[in-house]
Amino acid sequence: MTTPLPSDASRTTMTEILLPTHANALGNAFGGQILAWMDICAAICAQRHAGLVCVTAGLDDLSFERPIKVGEVVQLEARVTAVFRSSFEVRVVVRGENPLTHTVWPCVEAYLTFVAIDAGGKPTAVPALAVATQDDERLKANAHVRREQRLARRKAAAGG
Ligand SMILES: CC(C)(COP(=O)(O)OP(=O)(O)OC[C@H]1O[C@@H](n2cnc3c(N)ncnc32)[C@H](O)[C@@H]1OP(=O)(O)O)[C@@H](O)C(=O)NCCC(=O)NCCS
């Protein structure tokens, strides 16, 4: 049994500037570009925690609350919320930032499930997550509820 690891050990931040190539005709970020950065940020966080190559197994529903425009900054932050066995959940929060005024606003957040893969290409157990604060406890409890809902949805989609 390996020592549980704190979420701070794998917490990952990324900062991007929104260029015209990342935007739609309104000058707002393409949702797909934001999603790609979210997946990258979460994957780095996942692999820092697992110490193994990880694949994205799923992404829960999300809604874009406010746009980020060309010339503005995209802040991303990912942290592990709960470890199950070979799978575990990573929360990614995305904020927009006006670099001239330092104004920051929430854009979107999502929960991604990663699965750690061993040298033989099979799912393998990852280190447990150390829970130190009330916030850690709350995120973990909510993650377990979401996992049950995911498993139930997958079972229903597979026909029972
Ligand atoms: C994710 C993947 C490795 C799971 O493989 P599998 O043979 O179904 O493995 P298992 O059924 O043993 O499941 C392994 C774990 O993944 C979880 N899992 C599998 N599919 C999942 C999904 N869609 N959503 C959430 N969790 C999932 C299982 O609950 C299990 O969790 P646990 O070990 O913590 O109990 C496999 O489906 C896969 O390779 N998918 C494609 C991944 C990919 O290409 N991602 C995009 C690029 S990175």
Side-chain angles (χ1 to χ4, degrees):
M1 184 79 174
T2 53
T3 312
L5 302 175
S7 63
D8 279 350
S10 54
R11 191 183 292 266
T12 301
T13 57
M14 276 172 44
T15 309
E16 302 283 343
I17 187 153
L18 203 88
L19 299 174
T21 49
H22 304 137
N24 62 21
L26 298 172
N28 295 337
F30 278 128
Q33 178 61 60
I34 300 285
L35 274 176
W37 283 329
M38 291 171 85
D39 195 26
I40 290 168
C41 189
I44 294 168
C45 173
Q47 294 180 130
R48 282 176 171 167
H49 179 83
L52 291 158
V53 172
C54 298
V55 294
T56 313
L59 165 71
D60 288 6
D61 56 350
L62 48 79
S63 65
F64 290 92
E65 300 300 334
R66 277 186 60 185
I68 302 175
K69 293 185 176 299
V70 169
E72 293 177 334
V73 170
V74 184
Q75 301 178 354
L76 299 106
E77 183 175 352
R79 62 156 286 169
V80 177
T81 55
V83 168
F84 309 119
R85 195 195 71 83
S86 68
S87 70
F88 55 112
E89 189 190 76
V90 176
R91 177 190 193 208
V92 186
V93 176
V94 181
R95 300 181 185 88
E97 176 197 337
N98 180 324
L100 309 183
T101 61
H102 296 212
T103 311
V104 174
W105 59 93
C107 172
V108 62
E109 68 176 63
Y111 295 92
L112 293 88
T113 303
F114 285 86
V115 177
I117 304 296
D118 68 14
K122 299 282 181 213
T124 187
V126 300
L129 185 68
V131 173
T133 66
Q134 282 191 343
D135 198 38
D136 291 344
E137 281 288 4
R138 183 182 53 80
L139 285 168
K140 179 179 167 184
N142 291 342
H144 279 268
V145 171
R146 281 187 295 273
R147 172 178 161 84
E148 290 310 313
Q149 293 168 347
R150 273 179 217 122
L151 293 179
R153 278 198 302 271
R154 288 189 75 213
K155 195 170 167 193

